[in-house]
Amino acid sequence: LENELNRQYLLDKEQSPAGDQREQSFNEWLKLTREKEEVEILVGQARYPQAISRGEAALRRNPDFLPLLNTLCIVYWMHGQDEKALALAQRAADLYPKDASALGNVAKILLLSGNIKTAQEYAQRLKDIYSSSYANAAEAIKIFAYLGAHTDLREVFEWLQKEFNLEPYGYSAGFL
């Protein structure tokens, strides 16, 4: 498992550091990932203040750690702190403009706050990247469904069908 996590970490980085520095970077990444999972466990226990405190402490060490930014923005939103949630989501989307989860989080928070026009702008950004991976397509489908963007939904489903040789409409239930 650790070798697979290390491989994924290096794929996520534009440049991989050398030798000891790479091992140190990986160990920090692994520690942050574990802390993100601890935040998720606290959320599962409806212990939002503790989850926020734990997530903020980890972000102080690495304020650009995308998985934690994405998780913590949702925790803030679930705890009724919409402005903080949106600020973190937008930070993640600004830092990682091709990350579907970051873009999707901004769109969801904006939509649920009644800011449909700006949510649609983030959905458009999702439309620009959905064809880079199955996961991006899944996120785009959720956002397009929330927005009622049926033409965009159809386009993504057709891409999935073609790209992954899926049966027509047989895969849609898992996304909606």
Side-chain angles (χ1 to χ4, degrees), residues 97-115:
K98 294 187 179 197
D99 183 79
S101 293
L103 295 171
N105 285 340
V106 176
K108 283 181 267 194
I109 292 167
L110 288 168
L111 179 64
L112 294 169
S113 299
N115 193 337

Side-chain angles (χ1 to χ4, degrees), residues 10-70:
L10 294 177
L11 288 174
D12 290 345
K13 301 296 277 179
E14 289 187 19
Q15 295 181 332
S16 77
D20 291 340
Q21 188 180 12
R22 179 174 60 198
E23 186 174 337
Q24 185 179 11
S25 294
F26 172 69
N27 288 337
E28 177 63 14
W29 178 84
L30 193 58
K31 183 177 180 181
L32 286 164
T33 300
R34 287 182 182 137
E35 290 173 329
K36 178 196 75 85
E37 290 171 355
E38 290 171 10
V39 168
E40 291 170 346
I41 290 168
L42 290 167
V43 168
Q45 298 168 345
R47 296 170 55 195
Y48 302 116
Q50 294 91 339
I52 288 169
S53 177
R54 184 76 170 143
E56 286 176 344
L59 277 182
R60 279 192 291 278
R61 284 198 336 275
N62 187 335
D64 299 341
F65 187 59
L66 178 62
L68 192 53
L69 287 169
N70 282 336

Side-chain angles (χ1 to χ4, degrees), residues 3-173:
N3 285 338
E4 177 58 25
L5 289 172
N6 191 19
R7 185 186 70 73
Q8 185 61 45
Y9 168 75
L10 294 177
L11 288 174
D12 290 345
K13 301 296 277 179
E14 289 187 19
Q15 295 181 332
S16 77
D20 291 340
Q21 188 180 12
R22 179 174 60 198
E23 186 174 337
Q24 185 179 11
S25 294
F26 172 69
N27 288 337
E28 177 63 14
W29 178 84
L30 193 58
K31 183 177 180 181
L32 286 164
T33 300
R34 287 182 182 137
E35 290 173 329
K36 178 196 75 85
E37 290 171 355
E38 290 171 10
V39 168
E40 291 170 346
I41 290 168
L42 290 167
V43 168
Q45 298 168 345
R47 296 170 55 195
Y48 302 116
Q50 294 91 339
I52 288 169
S53 177
R54 184 76 170 143
E56 286 176 344
L59 277 182
R60 279 192 291 278
R61 284 198 336 275
N62 187 335
D64 299 341
F65 187 59
L66 178 62
L68 192 53
L69 287 169
N70 282 336
T71 298
L72 197 53
C73 81
I74 297 302
V75 177
Y76 276 125
W77 179 79
M78 292 172 73
H79 195 248
Q81 298 181 35
D82 297 356
E83 289 180 18
K84 284 186 177 183
L86 184 57
L88 267 185
Q90 286 176 320
R91 176 171 165 66
D94 290 345
L95 288 169
Y96 302 94
K98 294 187 179 197
D99 183 79
S101 293
L103 295 171
N105 285 340
V106 176
K108 283 181 267 194
I109 292 167
L110 288 168
L111 179 64
L112 294 169
S113 299
N115 193 337
I116 296 169
K117 183 176 170 80
T118 309
Q120 289 170 330
E121 292 170 13
Y122 279 88
Q124 180 59 48
R125 289 173 61 184
L126 272 170
K127 188 174 179 184
D128 295 339
I129 66 162
Y130 79 80
S131 63
S132 61
S133 75
Y134 189 88
N136 286 356
E139 187 67 30
I141 285 170
K142 287 189 284 188
I143 298 305
F144 296 153
Y146 296 154
L147 289 169
H150 303 293
T151 302
D152 294 329
L153 270 172
R154 184 175 296 111
E155 181 181 312
V156 178
F157 280 130
E158 288 171 357
W159 176 81
L160 282 168
Q161 182 182 5
K162 179 182 171 194
E163 188 70 18
F164 295 98
N165 214 14
L166 299 172
E167 293 294 320
Y169 307 106
Y171 49 84
S172 61

